[in-house]
Amino acid sequence: MVKIGLSKAQYAKLGESEKASQIKDLPGLTSAKLELEMENENFYADDTIFAILESGITKLGLEYSLADISSEAKQDVLGIELKDGMELFKKDISAPYVATSFRSRLDNGKFVWFGLVKGKFAPSGLDLNTKEEKATAQTETISASFIAREIDGCMLVVAREDNEDFELGNFYKKVYGIDPTEVVTPPESGE
């Protein structure tokens, strides 16, 4: 199947139990670059490769390009301070651990969902250009590095809707620790 397009970026701050309490949308996703590395090393014996030693996943990174990143999202995923309508990037900035997900449509109309379970985003610079004869859209980029979750060693979840046993709620539970359709929002005070 061919993947066509990209949508539905979401994120959640992780609590002490490595679970989220609320999943939020990250609108305006224009691209997602997923970097996954595994290192193998050849072990030689009898003048030939005797075995291939695997070290597992050694690097998992993600770069999102977005039409815009709201101040609230920057506060949540980058750990910036918001004060008097300004985003304050302080020298001792500390991003919280987050989980994130996005999806890509297959040519059969179903989706492939990607979930990264525990990582930290870092702020990136901006590359802005002057408006010339015609307007050119300019995006913002954030990137993250991910590690294995302590409770199960999981780093990346890929779920295909065209797999027989696929259930979106199970994908959310595996990535975020919660199914957003089961989360009950408490009523506002005075109701």
Side-chain angles (χ1 to χ4, degrees), residues 64-78:
Y64 277 150
S65 182
L66 298 137
D68 184 46
I69 305 170
S70 72
S71 293
E72 177 188 5
K74 287 178 186 174
Q75 184 177 26
D76 288 345
V77 301
L78 299 176

Side-chain angles (χ1 to χ4, degrees), residues 10 23 113 168-178 180:
Q10 296 178 301
I23 300 170
W113 293 80
L168 186 56
N170 288 339
F171 169 79
Y172 277 108
K173 286 178 185 176
K174 191 65 170 173
V175 174
Y176 297 103
I178 59 172

Side-chain angles (χ1 to χ4, degrees), residues 21-22 183-189 191:
S21 60
Q22 180 184 16
V183 175
V184 178
T185 307
E188 293 183 26
S189 60
E191 289 184 13

Side-chain angles (χ1 to χ4, degrees), residues 89-126:
F89 291 75
K90 296 187 173 182
K91 69 177 184 176
D92 59 349
I93 191 171
S94 180
Y97 280 110
V98 297
T100 189
S101 62
F102 59 94
R103 68 183 185 182
S104 181
R105 184 180 297 277
L106 296 169
D107 61 358
N108 66 4
K110 306 255 183 196
F111 287 98
V112 177
W113 293 80
F114 299 86
L116 294 93
V117 301
K118 184 179 181 181
K120 288 189 175 197
F121 278 93
S124 299
L126 288 173

Side-chain angles (χ1 to χ4, degrees), residues 15-187:
E16 301 246 346
S17 64
E18 296 185 324
K19 292 184 179 183
S21 60
Q22 180 184 16
I23 300 170
K24 296 181 179 181
D25 291 332
L26 194 56
L29 184 63
T30 61
S31 70
K33 181 179 179 183
L34 185 62
E35 184 180 4
L36 177 69
E37 290 181 14
M38 288 184 64
E39 291 188 16
N40 296 327
E41 185 176 327
N42 294 336
F43 176 76
Y44 292 87
D46 296 327
D47 292 335
T48 188
I49 297 174
F50 189 77
I52 299 173
L53 307 175
E54 301 171 329
S55 61
I57 296 173
T58 57
K59 182 177 184 179
L60 181 59
L62 176 67
E63 181 179 276
Y64 277 150
S65 182
L66 298 137
D68 184 46
I69 305 170
S70 72
S71 293
E72 177 188 5
K74 287 178 186 174
Q75 184 177 26
D76 288 345
V77 301
L78 299 176
I80 68 160
E81 182 182 334
L82 290 176
K83 186 173 183 178
D84 299 327
M86 296 178 283
E87 300 171 359
L88 305 178
F89 291 75
K90 296 187 173 182
K91 69 177 184 176
D92 59 349
I93 191 171
S94 180
Y97 280 110
V98 297
T100 189
S101 62
F102 59 94
R103 68 183 185 182
S104 181
R105 184 180 297 277
L106 296 169
D107 61 358
N108 66 4
K110 306 255 183 196
F111 287 98
V112 177
W113 293 80
F114 299 86
L116 294 93
V117 301
K118 184 179 181 181
K120 288 189 175 197
F121 278 93
S124 299
L126 288 173
D127 185 11
L128 302 173
N129 297 301
T130 189
K131 181 180 170 189
E132 295 178 3
E133 292 177 17
K134 67 178 193 173
T136 303
Q138 299 175 53
T139 60
E140 286 190 66
T141 303
I142 54 173
S143 57
S145 295
F146 290 84
I147 61 174
R149 191 167 44 199
E150 291 178 31
I151 58 173
D152 61 4
C154 188
M155 294 178 77
L156 173 67
V157 179
V158 179
R160 295 176 60 109
E161 288 183 359
D162 57 355
N163 284 340
E164 185 178 323
D165 295 337
F166 173 82
E167 288 184 31
L168 186 56
N170 288 339
F171 169 79
Y172 277 108
K173 286 178 185 176
K174 191 65 170 173
V175 174
Y176 297 103
I178 59 172
D179 179 347
T181 63
E182 296 175 356
V183 175
V184 178
T185 307

